Amino acid sequence: MRLQILTLFLSQAMSSACAETHDIKMLNRNETGPMVYEPDFAQIAPGDTVKFIAAASGHNAATIDGMVPDGHPGFKGKINEEIEVTLGQEGFYGIKCSPHLGMGMVMVIRVGDAALEASFLNVDVPPRAHKRFDEILARNGFGK
């Protein structure tokens, strides 16, 4: 029993020691256009942390209903809040800036080697957000 507990403790300690933190800036503009996350696509390992940095005021980071793996509760940061989110469940995560979704301020996080599910592409979002999702996914090898 003690050996099992020690083994579990060591495996958790080793996985958290290997975990990385990925910085994502929330910006008013960059070379790709207005209202953006930089980068707008992140490929991370299960257990890694994503830190959303309020590099410009007026933004937040939140998951989009229907664009998270089944069973994931999602998250929603407050406006102007830097948040860190550890994602352990493999899959694709659609992220939005709540006040700027209509302007296309979205990004994608892929955790692990998950395949892109068709349902991810069928979520109802404003046209600019849909267009930007299509561009992000195509640029990263997941286009139609």
Side-chain angles (χ1 to χ4, degrees), residues 12-22 45-49 86-87:
Q12 288 176 345
M14 288 176 62
S15 67
S16 61
C18 297
E20 292 185 41
T21 298
H22 305 266
D48 281 1
T49 297
T86 300
L87 299 172

Side-chain angles (χ1 to χ4, degrees), residues 26-27 35-37 59 96-97 100 103-106 132:
M26 298 180 280
L27 301 169
M35 302 301 158
V36 292
Y37 291 95
H59 304 293
K96 67 179 177 181
C97 173
H100 300 117
M103 296 177 75
M105 189 167 178
V106 297
R132 194 166 274 169

Side-chain angles (χ1 to χ4, degrees), residues 1-62:
M1 179 66 155
R2 286 185 181 178
L3 180 59
Q4 289 174 327
I5 292 171
L6 180 60
T7 302
L8 178 62
F9 174 77
L10 288 174
S11 68
Q12 288 176 345
M14 288 176 62
S15 67
S16 61
C18 297
E20 292 185 41
T21 298
H22 305 266
D23 291 344
I24 308 289
K25 294 178 185 173
M26 298 180 280
L27 301 169
N28 291 334
R29 174 176 289 284
N30 70 7
E31 65 278 352
T32 64
M35 302 301 158
V36 292
Y37 291 95
E38 187 178 275
D40 60 10
F41 183 87
Q43 171 73 52
I44 70 171
D48 281 1
T49 297
V50 178
K51 180 179 181 181
F52 293 94
I53 300 168
S57 64
H59 304 293
N60 78 326

